[in-house]
Amino acid sequence: MTTRTNEAWVAELGAPGPAQEAALADLRAAILAGLPYALSGWLSPDEPTFAALAEEVAQETLVRVLDRLSTFEGRSRFTTWAQKIAVRFALTELRRRRWRDVSLEERTEAEHAIEEPSWTADPGPGPETQAARAELLASVRRMLDEELTERQRRAMTALALQGMPLEEVA
């Protein structure tokens, strides 16, 4: 893969011809190389569906990068920007696939089937659940206070606790 500056990526991808084809091939290779690590928390590269997903993500990312080339601001490396697009698309696709074959009617019926009887004394969480929640909350608080910078803490608080959209936080 050829090493390019941000300006070279934009120039080569923006002008049709052999230079664009070479840049697209290099960008595709960079995306495919980064996906196993980027998606390791959600899908193992050893999974049989990983190769097909990676190829789909790479193709869609190339299309999106070309469509949004004029929006690249140069605040990061070009390949980092493209990888971000790829990872967001991949995670969206994984979420869609998880729910693709789920019937809303079946889920609604299943939820009603396991519903607690109305005569139970306390339908709230039990002591084990409450203790686990308190422990998890304490761990999250400790991480927020001790392991994040002030800027990271503000971003995490806005995103996770206040529900601010990721684009606004960024």
Side-chain angles (χ1 to χ4, degrees), residues 141-157:
R141 253 179 239 253
R142 185 196 54 76
M143 286 188 284
L144 282 171
D145 292 339
E146 298 173 9
E147 297 183 23
L148 298 179
T149 66
E150 178 59 31
R151 185 175 177 150
Q152 290 171 330
R153 189 175 12 267
R154 283 190 319 217
M156 182 63 78
T157 302

Side-chain angles (χ1 to χ4, degrees), residues 50-67:
F50 184 83
L53 175 68
E55 187 58 41
E56 180 182 350
V57 167
Q59 292 300 320
E60 182 62 27
T61 301
L62 294 178
V63 169
R64 290 179 181 205
V65 164
L66 289 176
D67 285 346

Side-chain angles (χ1 to χ4, degrees), residues 93-164:
E93 189 59 27
L94 285 172
R95 281 190 294 271
R96 282 186 189 140
R97 287 181 181 186
R98 181 176 47 181
W99 295 102
R100 183 174 290 156
D101 297 326
V102 175
S103 165
L104 184 59
E105 289 81 22
E106 290 174 8
R107 282 201 54 84
T108 306
E109 290 172 10
E111 287 175 6
H112 289 299
I114 61 172
E115 192 172 294
E116 292 281 332
S118 61
W119 49 266
T120 58
D122 184 10
E128 297 88 13
T129 304
Q130 290 176 343
R133 285 181 185 167
E135 187 176 319
L136 179 62
L137 185 58
S139 294
V140 169
R141 253 179 239 253
R142 185 196 54 76
M143 286 188 284
L144 282 171
D145 292 339
E146 298 173 9
E147 297 183 23
L148 298 179
T149 66
E150 178 59 31
R151 185 175 177 150
Q152 290 171 330
R153 189 175 12 267
R154 283 190 319 217
M156 182 63 78
T157 302
L159 181 68
L161 302 178
Q162 297 171 349
M164 184 180 284

